[in-house]
């Protein structure tokens, strides 16, 4: 709920002193009252800490405020979780592994200490982790000796080392630049400055040329991701604003906004993330993806918030099962919890029970059908009771419909069926949080790079973000994945289905054997 902007009042300390001194002699004038009130509200706004979480306990604690005398009590520090907080050697999956044999002993030799028994290798070796610093992109300069014949003038140049390719920038360079730019939000100019300080010139224009060339090789993988995402069981979508400096619009296009849509498709044990930047909203982009859906498949579940632009306009005969995000409905009550603490406490704690049951279903690794029955048994009565309470608040006039609480209640009641699809349809999720997290990658790029220069640049960014975030969802190493796709670009173009992030390791092993 957005608060109305306050009228600006210019004051200084001398004026405030005069106002306070004058209040001792006579009542405050209207102008002095406004100045003093404006200064106090400004001070209060500066002292309020912004909320960093929407957890029920935190929201309700903020809405109730501190109890009398609690200002003098020290804030309890939460006890730290058990463990030393260090990462074990098994956490360094990308580290180079160097086995070191014992310098004096081998398996089965006589023990030099007692001279009676034999020594045997242990199952678990002692491990040492050593981390070094280096530039994100390193350079090697090879000086090839040249010899010239004094008689005929023939020049003989040393052969370059084995493995040194003809290209100045190899596949690892393109993968690292893409990983930093589109995976970690490091703008080209910032990487240029860092590499320059480390003695390795890497102009921003050169970085763009490298990733643009690599993107052409990786398009078959992106296209296959789109095709497989269309076959998903659950498809999440949402969008965020984006800026493209040079974007040519059709004369009939009256829209002025530019968006990056995030789509996450789940099903059959895989998760696929897609990004689309341009004039279209999330609903239009997901409709384009679902055009590739096989006709024999059942209707997919589409999860989004209640904005109409997120719902696709499908052709006649094509159906979707619409589910709305319960977290968005919950957020309506979080925003007004300070003004209606008791009512919001009831709603937030009730929804907390439903999320608790969903976490319990995940912990038990229930199948989709088992999870549906579990929610029907546990969450069904809870949601039915909440529905009756919401209706009673408006029907019995316990809540003003135009108040913040009334609008939050109306939101839940208006979208009740899509908000509770998880009680009627197997695999229906509770919320849209998975795509909200995916969009953070685009938001990070917008925060650091501010914009895309052209629509082509936005499409290159969408391609790399789709591949990188899909790797993250599948637990694959996105840096290695981008390298191998470039090295096997011909195989990728011939059979992209074999080079998806979840199975490219097996494909790579077969290629190396053959």
């Amino acid at each position: 709920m957005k608060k109305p902007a306050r009228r600006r009042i210019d004051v200084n300390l001398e004026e405030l002193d005069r106002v306070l001194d004058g209040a001792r002699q006579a009542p405050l004038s209207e102008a002095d009252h406004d100045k003093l009130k404006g200064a106090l509200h400004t001070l209060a706004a500066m002292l309020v800490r912004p909320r960093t979480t929407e957890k029920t306990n935190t929201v309700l604690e903020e809405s109730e405020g501190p109890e009398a005398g609690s200002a003098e009590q020290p804030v309890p520090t939460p006890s730290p979780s058990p463990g030393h907080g260090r990462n074990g050697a098994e956490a360094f999956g990308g580290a180079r592994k160097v086995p070191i044999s014992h310098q004096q002993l081998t398996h089965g030799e006589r023990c030099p200490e007692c001279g009676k028994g034999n020594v045997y290798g242990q199952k678990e070796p002692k491990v040492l982790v050593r981390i070094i610093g280096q530039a994100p992109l390193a350079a090697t300069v090879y000086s090839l000796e040249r010899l010239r014949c004094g008689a005929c003038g023939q020049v003989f140049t040393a052969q370059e080392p084995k493995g040194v390719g003809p290209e100045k920038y190899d596949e690892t360079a393109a993968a690292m630049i893409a990983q930093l730019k589109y995976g970690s939000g490091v703008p080209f100019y910032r990487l240029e400055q860092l590499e320059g300080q480390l003695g390795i010139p890497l102009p921003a224009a050169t970085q763009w040329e490298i990733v643009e060339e690599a993107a052409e090789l990786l398009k078959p993988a992106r296209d296959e991701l789109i095709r497989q995402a269309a076959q998903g069981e659950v498809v999440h979508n949402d969008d965020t604003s984006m800026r493209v400096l040079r974007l040519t619009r059709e004369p009939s296009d009256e829209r002025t906004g530019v968006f990056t849509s995030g789509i996450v498709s789940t099903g059959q044990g895989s998760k696929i993330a897609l990004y689309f930047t341009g004039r279209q909203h999330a609903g239009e982009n997901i409709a384009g993806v679902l055009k590739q859906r096989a006709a024999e498949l059942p209707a997919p579940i589409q999860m989004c918030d209640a904005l109409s632009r997120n719902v696709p306009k499908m052709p006649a005969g094509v159906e979707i099962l619409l589910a709305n995000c319960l977290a968005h409905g919950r957020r309506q009550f979080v925003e007004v919890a300070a003004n209606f603490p008791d009512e919001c406490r009831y709603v937030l704690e009730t929804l907390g029970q439903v999320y608790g049951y969903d976490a319990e279903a995940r912990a038990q690794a229930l199948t989709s059908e088992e999870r549906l029955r579990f929610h029907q048994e546990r969450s069904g009565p809870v949601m039915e009771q909440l529905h009756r309470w919401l209706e009673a608040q408006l029907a019995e006039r316990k809540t003003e419909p135009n108040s913040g609480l009334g609008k939050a209640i109306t939101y839940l009641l208006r979208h009740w069926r899509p908000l509770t699809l998880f009680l009627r349809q197997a695999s229906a999720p509770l919320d849209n949080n998975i795509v909200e997290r995916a969009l953070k990658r685009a938001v990070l790029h917008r925060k650091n790079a501010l914009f895309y220069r052209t629509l082509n640049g936005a499409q290159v960014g969408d391609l790399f973000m789709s591949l990188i975030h899909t790797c993250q969802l599948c637990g694959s190493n996105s840096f290695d994945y981008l390298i191998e796709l470039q090295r096997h670009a011909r195989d990728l173009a011939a059979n992209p289905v074999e080079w998806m992030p979840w199975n490219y390791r097996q494909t790579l092993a077969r290629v190396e054997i053959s």
Side-chain angles (χ1 to χ4, degrees):
M1 183 174 61
K2 185 177 180 180
K3 296 183 179 179
R6 295 188 177 276
R7 181 169 58 89
R8 178 174 177 176
I9 302 176
D10 295 324
V11 297
N12 56 42
L13 292 179
E14 293 182 358
E15 286 182 308
L16 291 179
D17 290 340
R18 181 186 58 77
V19 170
L20 293 176
D21 292 340
R24 295 180 177 180
Q25 308 296 329
L28 291 173
S29 65
E30 187 69 23
D32 290 344
H33 172 268
D34 289 344
K35 290 179 181 179
L36 185 58
K37 185 176 181 180
L40 290 175
H41 279 285
T42 301
L43 177 61
M46 294 173 62
L47 295 177
V48 175
R49 294 182 178 179
R51 182 189 297 123
T52 58
T53 177
E54 293 184 359
K55 292 184 178 179
T56 301
N57 293 338
T58 304
V59 171
L60 296 177
E61 181 179 352
E62 290 179 354
S63 64
E64 293 175 352
E67 298 179 357
S70 63
E72 300 179 357
Q73 300 296 327
V75 179
T77 302
S79 57
S81 57
H84 46 61
R86 299 176 182 174
N87 291 315
E90 64 278 0
F92 294 84
R96 184 169 62 99
K97 306 298 190 302
V98 181
I100 299 178
S101 302
H102 199 281
Q103 289 81 2
Q104 287 83 31
L105 297 175
T106 58
H107 179 83
E109 286 188 355
R110 183 68 64 181
C111 173
E113 184 68 23
C114 67
K116 298 179 180 179
N118 296 334
V119 295
Y120 300 98
Q122 300 297 294
K123 183 178 180 181
E124 296 294 336
K126 179 181 178 180
V127 294
L128 300 175
V129 178
R130 297 295 182 264
I131 300 175
I132 63 173
Q134 60 186 23
L137 282 89
T140 302
V141 178
Y142 296 94
S143 298
L144 306 180
E145 184 181 14
R146 296 192 300 171
L147 304 173
R148 181 176 181 276
C149 175
C152 67
Q154 181 68 33
V155 177
F156 302 89
T157 305
Q159 189 69 27
E160 67 268 12
K162 186 178 181 179
V164 177
E167 301 294 333
K168 182 176 181 180
Y169 302 97
D170 68 356
E171 299 87 357
T172 62
M176 179 55 71
I177 294 173
Q179 184 73 48
L180 291 171
K181 167 71 171 176
Y182 305 110
S184 302
V186 180
F188 288 146
Y189 77 90
R190 194 170 298 170
L191 180 58
E192 176 185 356
Q193 293 176 353
L194 173 61
E195 292 290 325
Q197 292 171 0
L198 300 178
I200 303 174
L202 188 63
T206 301
Q207 297 176 50
W208 163 246
E209 292 173 357
I210 293 172
V211 296
E212 183 183 29
E213 182 179 351
E216 286 295 323
L217 301 177
L218 305 185
K219 282 183 178 179
R222 190 272 316 274
D223 295 341
E224 179 61 22
L225 283 182
I226 295 176
R227 189 194 69 80
Q228 294 201 27
Q231 323 308 319
E233 188 176 7
V234 182
V235 186
H236 303 251
N237 72 312
D238 201 357
D239 55 24
T240 186
S241 61
M242 190 54 65
R243 187 179 183 188
V244 180
L245 295 185
R246 301 173 185 172
L247 180 61
T248 304
R249 299 179 183 273
E250 298 178 0
S252 60
D253 188 1
E254 298 180 354
R255 293 182 294 187
T256 59
V258 179
F259 307 91
T260 292
S261 299
I263 298 175
V264 177
S265 175
T266 63
Q268 300 180 352
S270 64
K271 297 178 181 178
I272 299 174
L274 301 173
Y275 296 83
F276 300 92
T277 298
R279 314 174 190 87
Q280 293 185 321
H281 294 296
E284 296 170 308
N285 286 316
I286 199 173
V289 171
L290 292 178
K291 287 180 180 179
Q292 300 190 39
R293 186 174 181 85
E296 64 273 11
L297 292 177
I301 299 172
Q302 191 233 329
M303 165 58 75
C304 62
D305 58 43
L307 284 176
S308 59
R309 70 189 191 190
N310 289 333
V311 180
K313 296 180 181 179
M314 305 301 295
V318 180
E319 296 182 358
I320 59 171
L321 301 175
L322 180 62
N324 281 162
C325 176
L326 200 59
H328 277 78
R330 178 185 180 275
R331 189 170 300 136
Q332 308 288 324
F333 294 88
V334 171
E335 297 297 332
V336 299
N339 299 326
F340 306 92
D342 295 334
E343 295 86 349
C344 292
R345 174 183 291 275
Y346 173 75
V347 175
L348 296 179
E349 290 181 348
T350 300
L351 295 179
Q353 295 182 48
V354 176
Y355 273 90
Y357 292 139
D358 198 58
E360 187 175 344
R362 288 196 304 272
Q364 297 178 15
L366 300 181
T367 64
S368 298
E369 295 296 334
E370 292 172 342
R371 173 181 175 272
L372 174 61
R373 291 193 295 270
F374 183 81
H375 269 303
Q376 289 173 340
E377 295 172 1
R378 303 290 184 88
S379 302
V382 175
M383 294 299 290
E384 181 61 31
Q385 182 180 357
L386 175 61
H387 189 261
R388 290 195 297 267
W389 183 88
L390 294 171
E391 289 184 323
Q393 293 297 306
L394 299 180
E396 301 175 9
R397 298 193 178 278
K398 298 179 181 179
T399 300
E400 170 61 39
N402 291 329
S403 66
L405 178 61
K407 293 178 180 178
I409 292 174
T410 302
Y411 181 93
L412 284 188
L413 292 176
R414 184 187 301 127
H415 306 289
W416 188 258
R417 283 194 62 79
L419 285 170
T420 57
L421 184 66
F422 68 94
L423 296 176
R424 303 183 301 277
Q425 183 68 34
S427 300
L430 297 185
D431 52 47
N432 207 26
N433 290 349
I434 188 172
V435 78
E436 297 282 352
R437 290 190 292 269
L439 280 175
K440 288 183 178 180
R441 195 173 299 278
V443 173
L444 180 64
H445 177 273
R446 182 184 66 202
K447 178 181 178 181
N448 288 283
L450 302 182
F451 54 81
Y452 290 110
R453 187 177 299 275
T454 64
L455 189 57
N456 178 51
Q459 293 171 350
V460 169
D462 293 338
L463 180 147
F464 281 110
M465 287 187 188
S466 299
L467 297 176
I468 291 172
H469 198 70
T470 300
C471 285
Q472 181 178 346
L473 294 176
C474 299
S476 300
N477 187 316
S478 57
F479 178 64
D480 289 344
Y481 181 62
L482 296 177
I483 293 173
E484 298 303 336
L485 288 187
Q486 294 176 79
R487 289 176 175 172
H488 300 85
R490 185 172 300 178
D491 296 331
L492 170 64
N495 194 8
V497 69
E498 296 293 331
W499 292 91
M500 292 293 95
W502 49 85
N503 63 0
Y504 84 99
R505 284 292 183 188
Q506 293 86 338
T507 304
L508 183 61
R510 291 197 299 269
V511 170
E512 291 177 347
I513 292 176
S514 60

